[in-house]
Amino acid sequence: MKYSRILLKLSGESLSGNGNHGISESVLNEYAGQITDVAGKGCEVAIVIGGGNIFRGLSGTESGFDRVKGDQMGMLATVINSLALESAITRLGFRAKLFTSIRMEPVGELYNRDRVVESLKNKSVCILAGGTGNPFFTTDTAAALRAVEIGADVLLKGTRVNGVYTADPEKDSKAVKFEKISFREAIERRLKIMDSTAFTMCYENSMPVIVFNMNTKGNLMKLIDGMKTGTLISV
């Protein structure tokens, strides 16, 4: 096993499956299955999931919402997704614990780095909801922050495409995939991998990032086992 502790970043949109909104039960169960497979192997797993399938703060501002209120609504959307994932994991017989960046007991425990690390060591999958707890920061930034805080070996970003390309492969058939790329080159090429705050945090703290296709069954286990899939971004 190459990685003993990971931070897995999932997008909210991916949970909707082929739809634009809501939660697809089949996708939810597939993700839970992959997560419990690696947890069962002894890998410590922390997860940050977005809320774009329910509400996006930036989209809300375009509809007239105040940015702060919109981002707060987005934070609550991540909690809904996190609760769904927690339930799916526990149904498979594994322990899962939900932490929230804003106080909302009994929904989840208030995030505390030491409590999360303790829970990981006790073989609980830890789901970290609510983003950073502050407006103007994305769940990508929350994932980068939490990965550094808990001392993860790697930040795994699950997407719909298998890595980083020279252009959007869903729009450009000539896009070429990178097997490996440095943070500096990604910045110079202006590749849209994560928001700049998250990307800079990973760069400055030497936190490697792997972008991979979470929708391909078995990919998460391949990464844990050290097999090549997706794109590695490192210093």
Side-chain angles (χ1 to χ4, degrees):
M1 187 168 66
K2 184 173 183 178
Y3 301 114
S4 59
R5 180 179 295 170
I6 64 170
L7 189 296
L8 176 63
K9 169 60 170 64
L10 299 173
S11 71
E13 289 92 335
S14 63
L15 276 185
S16 63
N18 295 325
N20 294 320
H21 300 286
I23 299 172
S24 165
E25 185 176 353
S26 61
V27 173
L28 180 68
N29 291 333
E30 169 60 30
Y31 283 4
Q34 289 199 58
I35 291 164
T36 54
D37 282 347
V38 300
K41 195 169 184 176
C43 181
E44 298 174 359
V45 184
I47 303 166
V48 170
I49 187 166
N53 57 318
I54 299 172
F55 187 88
R56 290 180 63 87
L58 280 173
S59 299
T61 59
E62 296 172 0
S63 302
F65 285 97
D66 172 78
R67 174 63 189 274
V68 173
K69 296 298 182 185
D71 281 355
Q72 289 172 338
M73 293 169 70
M75 292 175 208
L76 295 178
T78 72
V79 176
I80 293 173
N81 284 338
S82 296
L83 283 168
L85 186 58
E86 180 191 29
S87 296
I89 290 170
T90 55
R91 282 200 304 270
L92 293 175
F94 284 76
R95 287 186 291 181
K97 190 169 181 60
L98 177 63
F99 291 86
T100 60
S101 58
I102 49 180
R103 190 176 293 281
M104 54 173 57
E105 297 90 343
V107 171
E109 182 178 336
L110 183 65
Y111 174 82
N112 176 283
R113 192 281 307 267
D114 293 342
R115 287 283 295 136
V116 171
V117 171
E118 179 185 0
S119 296
L120 289 171
K121 290 180 178 179
N122 288 331
K123 307 307 177 186
S124 288
V125 174
C126 293
I127 306 171
L128 315 179
T132 66
N134 300 289
F136 302 100
F137 292 97
T138 68
T139 50
D140 274 351
T141 298
L145 174 62
R146 301 310 186 210
V148 172
E149 282 184 320
I150 68 172
D153 297 322
V154 64
L155 192 164
L156 303 179
K157 182 170 182 180
T159 67
R160 297 184 302 181
V161 294
N162 193 34
V164 178
Y165 290 74
T166 53
D168 187 342
E170 295 182 335
K171 299 178 180 178
D172 187 349
S173 60
K174 296 182 180 179
V176 178
K177 177 188 169 185
F178 294 99
E179 298 298 326
K180 182 178 180 180
I181 189 171
S182 69
F183 284 108
R184 188 175 298 279
E185 184 179 358
I187 292 170
E188 290 173 351
R189 287 176 173 269
R190 298 181 180 180
L191 300 176
K192 296 180 180 179
I193 301 165
M194 308 170 80
D195 70 80
S196 58
T197 303
F199 206 66
T200 300
M201 181 169 292
C202 290
Y203 176 34
E204 292 182 345
N205 290 279
S206 300
M207 174 59 64
V209 178
I210 298 178
V211 179
F212 74 106
N213 189 344
M214 183 68 182
N215 292 340
T216 299
K217 187 174 182 179
N219 267 357
L220 185 58
M221 182 62 80
K222 286 181 180 179
L223 288 171
I224 299 304
D225 284 340
M227 298 173 65
K228 289 185 179 181
T229 186
T231 299
L232 170 66
I233 310 161
S234 59
V235 176

